[in-house]
Amino acid sequence: MSARITVQAFFDSPTWTVTYVVTDTSTRRAAIIDPVLDYDYKAGRTSTTSADRVLAYVAEQQLHIDWILETHAHADHLSAARYLKEHVGGRIAIGENIRAVQSTFKKVFNLERSFLPDGSQFDHLFKDGETFRIGDVEATAMLVPGHTPADMAYRVEDSVFVGDTLFMPDVGTARADFPGGDVHALYRSIRTLLALPAETMMYVCHDYPPASRAPQWQTTVGEQRAHNIHVHDGISEEAFVAMRTARDATLDMPTLILPSIQVNVRAGDMPPPEDNGIRYLKIPVNTLGAPTR
């Protein structure tokens, strides 16, 4: 890893999510990537244990937060971006294609008229190839659609944060069967990432490890090219599409997809309260996933 940055990971075991704090060592300015808001599905209650671990680290290291970066609108955890911004500042950012995701799910959830699918809930929308700074360190936003239309990877020095597009080599790749997903685009996005220098450090957003090992989240482009079980060098687009399509057809919807998407398209904010002062998350019936028999 470049001496110009440090990367601190926070693993959230209930959702198998990894949040990162990336720091410019010279200025102590930092970015938080993919933060988690805890959610008790049975009770419908949020809590901030995971996000508070990040806040404690930021305070201990005396960091100044420039960015709170989302790789996409996650379907497996709620975002703590809004909570973190309220406590440590920073600009909440995501890829500009979030507008397509918002438009799709505004219809699915019949969101309130005042919800505009224009990305205005976020402080910044990245274009593909756009550069930005974490302190004095230059970073690049890379559009990697497929899992969703809005997936972004963030390259910082000799590291790249890939969200859900790729997992650890022994786990494989993201699914592409959510609304707006595209398995062909996913393959091409992966090949773009794997064209980075082999020594590039790669940080994944989730790990779903086999029973034989503990959770991990750091690998390299070279390791992915050699060993990724779904998309190592030599796997054609045709073969990948056939494998991924068949595999996706066997997968259940993520447990938290319904609450997560409603919050995450709002940059971590909750829906507005209704006339009784209570905020509600909706459950669309017989809408997502394959029908059961």
Side-chain angles (χ1 to χ4, degrees):
M1 186 193 306
S2 166
R4 295 189 64 190
I5 65 170
T6 60
V7 178
Q8 179 65 46
F10 298 85
F11 183 70
D12 179 64
S13 56
T15 63
W16 307 95
T17 303
V18 189
T19 298
Y20 297 99
V21 178
V22 184
T23 302
D24 170 14
T25 56
S26 65
T27 65
R28 310 305 296 165
R29 305 198 73 88
I32 301 168
I33 303 177
D34 290 333
V36 175
L37 182 69
D38 303 301
Y39 182 72
D40 182 340
Y41 190 81
K42 293 179 181 178
R45 298 196 69 89
T46 62
S47 58
T48 59
T49 301
S50 295
D52 289 340
R53 290 169 59 205
V54 175
L55 290 178
Y57 175 80
V58 169
E60 174 189 308
Q61 298 296 315
Q62 298 181 317
L63 304 181
H64 301 277
I65 302 302
D66 286 339
W67 296 96
I68 302 171
L69 304 174
E70 298 284 8
T71 54
H72 63 294
H74 301 269
D76 34 29
H77 69 265
L78 281 67
S79 171
R82 189 70 57 186
Y83 174 77
L84 291 173
K85 179 178 178 176
E86 290 170 356
H87 286 76
V88 293
R91 301 173 72 191
I92 303 174
I94 199 168
E96 64 177 346
N97 287 359
I98 189 61
R99 300 183 186 108
V101 177
Q102 290 176 321
S103 180
T104 295
F105 284 101
K106 179 169 184 174
K107 297 171 185 174
V108 169
F109 292 108
N110 194 30
L111 299 181
E112 67 279 2
R113 290 184 179 180
S114 61
F115 177 84
L116 300 178
D118 60 1
S120 59
Q121 300 79 5
F122 297 82
D123 298 312
H124 186 79
L125 301 181
F126 285 117
K127 300 180 182 297
D128 184 27
E130 183 177 347
T131 59
F132 61 102
R133 290 192 173 276
I134 302 169
D136 291 337
V137 173
E138 185 173 272
T140 303
M142 302 172 63
L143 177 63
V144 287
H147 176 57
T148 79
D151 280 64
M152 301 296 290
Y154 299 106
R155 188 178 183 189
V156 188
E157 293 286 288
D158 56 359
S159 298
V160 62
F161 301 83
V162 298
D164 288 5
T165 299
L166 280 162
F167 298 135
M168 294 299 291
D170 60 349
V171 177
T173 63
R175 64 196 296 169
D177 62 331
F178 294 156
D182 184 325
V183 67
H184 290 277
L186 178 61
Y187 178 86
R188 295 164 192 165
S189 294
I190 290 169
R191 296 316 307 179
T192 296
L193 290 169
L194 297 187
L196 295 172
E199 64 274 13
T200 302
M201 300 302 303
M202 182 175 285
Y203 294 91
V204 301
C205 180
H206 296 280
D207 189 34
Y208 307 102
S212 59
R213 68 166 174 82
Q216 299 174 6
W217 42 82
Q218 179 179 330
T219 181
T220 67
V221 167
E223 289 170 349
Q224 294 279 23
R225 293 182 61 175
H227 302 299
N228 188 287
I229 60 173
H230 293 166
V231 72
H232 58 75
D233 284 354
I235 298 293
S236 68
E237 182 172 343
E238 181 181 36
F240 175 79
V241 167
M243 177 281 302
R244 189 70 263 174
T245 301
R247 182 174 175 81
D248 287 354
T250 71
L251 300 177
D252 293 332
M253 285 288 107
T255 300
L256 295 182
I257 185 171
L258 296 178
S260 293
I261 293 294
Q262 294 175 76
V263 171
N264 296 346
V265 296
R266 303 174 191 271
D269 204 0
M270 292 288 166
E274 298 197 7
D275 55 11
N276 61 355
I278 298 175
R279 300 174 189 267
Y280 291 88
L281 296 170
K282 296 182 178 181
I283 300 178
V285 178
N286 297 331
T287 301
L288 296 181
T292 58
R293 296 183 181 180

